[in-house]
Amino acid sequence: MSHRVVGVIGASGGLGTSTLAVALALRAAPLVGAVACVDLVLGAGGVDVTACVEHLPGLRWADLAGARGRIDGADLLVALPAEGPVRFLAAGSSRDAPAHGPVGGGLALPDPVVVEGVSALSGVCGLTVLDLGTSPRWASLCTDVVLVCGSSARQLADAGACAAGLAGSGEAVVRLVLRAARREQVGPEEVAAHLDLPLAGVLRDDPRTVSDADRGRPPGSRAGGAVSATADQVVLECGLVGVPA
């Protein structure tokens, strides 16, 4: 089994990194076996909400805050809430455990707990997807990083700074996904050349994402649509066997 850890990071806020992270996990699952999607936006995370599993019982990062030493990856994996074949480790706690509730002001976790949690899951999963938010802090845990950027002048400047930060944070292979509207003044290949990064895909607006969420259907759970198509392309570009049917 190839134990890959793919981080998804936004060069700017509001680009849909959590949506892409969830979709990538769900689209890759039929190809790689066990998959975990981990929220590392601990100050305001909600990948379980994006995945429509926030109502399900199961461990969250808040429940691991006091962990010491080694965490058993298999035990942790089965204790997490799931959407189909994918399990999710999010920042807060489930609605079924209100005593742990959402952590006001963000969740403060010791670095060793985060490292051990990710390591435990990546040891038993064919793929672990990390939602990095907009910070490269945990990029060193990744084998691959998907940098999502916009195409405005400010967003390209943010992307350049983020790419530079990633270059100094580890040995992960960094690939670019351009977040684009239907009509853009600058082409994806131009952006990739400007940032000197391989282009892994273009993420266009997908109006069905909101309606899907209202119906409890997470991004990537169905074929078709811009988000699933981009996730499929990232799966292919990262060499995760092939593209799901």
Side-chain angles (χ1 to χ4, degrees), residues 2-238:
S2 176
H3 301 274
R4 302 282 290 277
V5 181
V6 179
V8 182
I9 186 171
S12 313
L15 295 175
T17 53
S18 295
T19 296
L20 182 58
V22 171
L24 176 59
L26 287 170
R27 299 299 292 167
L31 304 170
V32 300
V35 175
C37 185
V38 180
D39 197 343
L40 289 181
V41 190
L42 301 178
V47 77
D48 55 346
V49 178
T50 304
C52 303
V53 298
E54 75 279 7
H55 60 290
L56 298 180
L59 293 183
R60 270 66 171 177
W61 275 121
D63 302 302
L64 299 176
R68 296 292 183 271
R70 182 177 179 273
I71 296 174
D72 186 277
D75 288 346
L76 176 57
L77 185 66
V78 299
L80 300 178
E83 165 60 35
V86 180
R87 302 226 169 222
F88 294 88
L89 178 53
S93 286
S94 70
R95 293 177 182 174
D96 292 336
H100 295 105
V103 181
L107 175 62
L109 283 177
D111 285 5
V113 172
V114 176
V115 173
E116 179 59 28
V118 172
S119 177
L121 290 173
S122 64
V124 298
C125 292
L127 172 66
T128 305
V129 179
L130 307 183
D131 181 359
L132 300 175
T134 57
S135 170
R137 178 180 181 185
W138 301 111
S140 61
L141 301 178
C142 303
T143 59
D144 306 81
V145 174
V146 176
L147 171 60
V148 184
C149 84
S151 59
S152 71
R154 174 56 189 269
Q155 289 171 326
L156 289 175
D158 290 343
C162 188
L166 290 170
S169 65
E171 298 181 358
V173 178
V174 182
R175 297 176 177 85
L176 176 70
V177 166
L178 179 66
R179 181 74 168 87
R182 291 295 175 184
R183 295 180 181 178
E184 291 290 342
Q185 297 299 315
V186 59
E189 292 78 10
E190 294 176 84
V191 175
H194 171 72
L195 297 174
D196 193 25
L197 293 174
L199 182 66
V202 178
L203 179 58
R204 300 196 182 277
D205 295 336
D206 189 344
R208 285 180 290 185
T209 301
V210 174
S211 60
D212 281 349
D214 290 341
R215 294 177 173 86
R217 182 184 295 156
S221 59
R222 59 171 172 79
V227 174
S228 288
T230 301
D232 287 346
Q233 186 64 30
V234 172
V235 166
L236 181 63
E237 295 296 331
C238 287

